[in-house]
Amino acid sequence: MDGMVTIMQKALQIYAGTVISRARIQLQANVGAALSGEDQAVADAVAAAAKEESDSAASVLLEKILHVDTDDWDMEIRKGMEAEEVTKDALIGEVQKTMEAVILGLENGSMAQRVQAEYLRELVTRIEAA
């Protein structure tokens, strides 16, 4: 039974990382559409192009961490903070912005909200411990 719990935990972690990453990208596109007055398709293209240029080092590191297995988080956090000169506060701030923008936009009390919030809380704990 423990093996099944581990498998479900991994599946939910992969789900949370993927959905949060996609929601961050979609949020950037939506904000771009609202600010520019363009339709959503144009804003999506502009957001994709601008994403490469304007992301802060903390945002880039967070995106990288969202796509990494949770067992490798500690190593990726340390490596990213050293190589990309990201501070703990900057990275935690980026996670907090993500929580506010993505998690609070979900249906209150839903399982998706719980899973994604727990995922990001665990990430903050690991960042603080690094």
Side-chain angles (χ1 to χ4, degrees):
M1 191 63 163
D2 288 336
M4 186 58 91
V5 170
T6 303
I7 292 170
M8 275 304 288
Q9 183 179 28
K10 283 291 180 196
L12 289 172
Q13 289 169 344
I14 292 168
Y15 158 79
T18 302
V19 169
I20 291 168
S21 178
R22 287 180 184 164
R24 285 170 45 91
I25 293 167
Q26 186 62 41
L27 185 65
Q28 287 177 341
N30 291 345
V31 168
L35 292 176
S36 69
E38 301 287 339
D39 79 356
Q40 192 63 46
V42 172
D44 288 346
V46 170
K51 182 177 182 346
E52 296 299 321
E53 301 168 0
S54 67
D55 279 351
S56 68
S59 180
V60 171
L61 180 57
L62 178 57
E63 278 298 320
K64 188 183 300 183
I65 291 170
L66 290 175
H67 295 286
V68 171
D69 185 22
T70 55
D71 293 337
D72 298 330
W73 274 359
D74 296 329
M75 179 185 62
E76 284 296 323
I77 291 167
R78 271 190 247 105
K79 189 168 61 173
M81 288 172 66
E82 291 169 2
E84 299 178 32
E85 299 177 6
V86 177
T87 64
K88 282 185 188 182
D89 291 338
L91 190 53
I92 289 173
E94 193 65 35
V95 174
Q96 294 292 344
K97 285 193 312 190
T98 300
M99 280 186 189
E100 292 168 5
V102 176
I103 305 304
L104 295 179
L106 296 172
E107 182 180 340
N108 195 20
S110 68
M111 188 55 68
Q113 186 185 45
R114 291 179 191 178
V115 168
Q116 292 174 40
E118 177 61 31
Y119 181 86
L120 290 175
R121 276 195 301 267
E122 177 63 24
L123 180 54
V124 168
T125 302
R126 300 267 192 100
I127 294 168
E128 289 172 342

Coordinates of all heavy atoms in Angstrom, one line a residue, residues 56-62 77-92 94:
S56 N 12.8 37.7 -14.8 CA 13.8 37.9 -13.8 C 14.5 36.6 -13.6 O 14.0 35.5 -13.9 CB 13.2 38.4 -12.5 OG 12.4 37.4 -11.9
A57 N 15.7 36.6 -13.0 CA 16.4 35.4 -12.7 C 15.6 34.5 -11.8 O 15.7 33.3 -11.9 CB 17.8 35.7 -12.1
A58 N 14.9 35.1 -10.8 CA 14.1 34.3 -9.9 C 13.0 33.6 -10.6 O 12.7 32.5 -10.3 CB 13.6 35.2 -8.8
S59 N 12.4 34.3 -11.6 CA 11.3 33.7 -12.4 C 11.8 32.6 -13.2 O 11.1 31.5 -13.3 CB 10.6 34.8 -13.2 OG 9.6 34.2 -14.0
V60 N 12.9 32.7 -13.8 CA 13.5 31.7 -14.6 C 13.8 30.5 -13.8 O 13.5 29.3 -14.1 CB 14.8 32.2 -15.4 CG1 15.5 31.0 -16.0 CG2 14.4 33.2 -16.4
L61 N 14.4 30.7 -12.6 CA 14.8 29.6 -11.7 C 13.5 28.9 -11.2 O 13.5 27.7 -11.2 CB 15.6 30.1 -10.5 CG 16.0 29.1 -9.5 CD1 16.8 27.9 -10.1 CD2 16.8 29.7 -8.4
L62 N 12.4 29.6 -10.9 CA 11.2 29.0 -10.5 C 10.6 28.1 -11.6 O 10.2 27.0 -11.3 CB 10.2 30.1 -10.0 CG 8.8 29.5 -9.6 CD1 8.9 28.5 -8.5 CD2 7.9 30.6 -9.2
I77 N 17.8 24.2 -6.4 CA 17.7 25.5 -5.7 C 19.1 26.0 -5.4 O 19.4 27.2 -5.7 CB 16.9 25.4 -4.4 CG1 15.4 25.1 -4.7 CG2 17.0 26.6 -3.5 CD1 14.6 24.7 -3.6
R78 N 20.0 25.2 -4.8 CA 21.3 25.6 -4.5 C 22.1 26.0 -5.8 O 22.8 27.0 -5.8 CB 22.1 24.5 -3.7 CG 21.9 24.6 -2.2 CD 22.8 23.7 -1.5 NE 21.9 22.7 -0.8 CZ 21.8 21.4 -1.2 NH1 22.5 21.0 -2.2 NH2 21.0 20.6 -0.6
K79 N 22.0 25.1 -6.8 CA 22.7 25.4 -8.0 C 22.2 26.7 -8.7 O 23.0 27.5 -9.2 CB 22.5 24.2 -9.0 CG 23.4 24.2 -10.2 CD 23.4 22.9 -10.9 CE 22.0 22.5 -11.4 NZ 22.0 21.3 -12.3
G80 N 20.9 26.9 -8.7 CA 20.3 28.1 -9.3 C 20.7 29.3 -8.6 O 20.9 30.4 -9.2
M81 N 20.7 29.3 -7.2 CA 21.0 30.4 -6.4 C 22.5 30.8 -6.6 O 22.8 32.0 -6.6 CB 20.7 30.2 -5.0 CG 19.1 30.2 -4.8 SD 18.6 29.7 -3.1 CE 19.2 31.0 -2.2
E82 N 23.4 29.9 -6.8 CA 24.8 30.2 -7.0 C 25.1 30.6 -8.4 O 25.7 31.7 -8.6 CB 25.6 28.9 -6.7 CG 25.6 28.5 -5.2 CD 26.2 27.1 -5.0 OE1 26.7 26.5 -6.0 OE2 26.2 26.7 -3.8
A83 N 24.6 29.9 -9.4 CA 24.9 30.2 -10.8 C 24.2 31.5 -11.3 O 24.8 32.2 -12.1 CB 24.5 29.0 -11.7
E84 N 22.9 31.6 -10.9 CA 22.2 32.8 -11.4 C 22.1 33.9 -10.5 O 21.3 34.9 -10.7 CB 20.8 32.2 -11.8 CG 20.8 31.2 -12.9 CD 19.5 30.6 -13.2 OE1 18.5 31.4 -13.2 OE2 19.4 29.4 -13.6
E85 N 22.8 33.9 -9.4 CA 22.8 34.9 -8.4 C 21.4 35.4 -8.0 O 21.1 36.6 -8.0 CB 23.6 36.1 -8.9 CG 25.1 35.7 -9.2 CD 25.9 36.9 -9.8 OE1 25.3 38.0 -9.9 OE2 27.0 36.6 -10.2
V86 N 20.6 34.4 -7.6 CA 19.2 34.7 -7.1 C 19.3 34.5 -5.6 O 19.8 33.6 -5.0 CB 18.2 33.7 -7.7 CG1 16.9 33.9 -7.1 CG2 18.2 33.7 -9.2
T87 N 18.7 35.5 -4.9 CA 18.6 35.4 -3.4 C 17.4 34.6 -3.0 O 16.5 34.4 -3.8 CB 18.5 36.8 -2.8 OG1 17.3 37.4 -3.2 CG2 19.7 37.7 -3.2
K88 N 17.5 34.1 -1.7 CA 16.4 33.4 -1.2 C 15.1 34.2 -1.2 O 14.0 33.8 -1.6 CB 16.6 33.0 0.2 CG 17.5 31.8 0.4 CD 17.6 31.4 1.9 CE 18.7 30.3 2.1 NZ 18.7 29.9 3.5
D89 N 15.3 35.5 -0.8 CA 14.1 36.4 -0.7 C 13.5 36.6 -2.1 O 12.3 36.7 -2.2 CB 14.5 37.7 -0.1 CG 14.9 37.6 1.3 OD1 14.4 36.7 2.0 OD2 15.6 38.5 1.8
A90 N 14.3 36.8 -3.1 CA 13.8 37.0 -4.5 C 13.0 35.7 -5.0 O 11.9 35.8 -5.6 CB 14.9 37.3 -5.5
L91 N 13.6 34.5 -4.7 CA 12.9 33.3 -5.1 C 11.6 33.1 -4.3 O 10.6 32.7 -4.9 CB 13.9 32.1 -5.0 CG 13.4 30.8 -5.6 CD1 13.1 31.0 -7.0 CD2 14.5 29.8 -5.4
I92 N 11.7 33.3 -3.0 CA 10.4 33.2 -2.2 C 9.4 34.2 -2.7 O 8.2 33.9 -2.7 CB 10.8 33.3 -0.7 CG1 11.6 32.1 -0.2 CG2 9.5 33.5 0.1 CD1 12.1 32.2 1.2
E94 N 9.0 35.3 -5.7 CA 8.4 34.8 -6.9 C 7.4 33.7 -6.6 O 6.3 33.7 -7.3 CB 9.5 34.3 -7.8 CG 9.1 34.1 -9.2 CD 8.7 35.3 -10.0 OE1 9.3 36.4 -9.8 OE2 7.8 35.2 -10.8

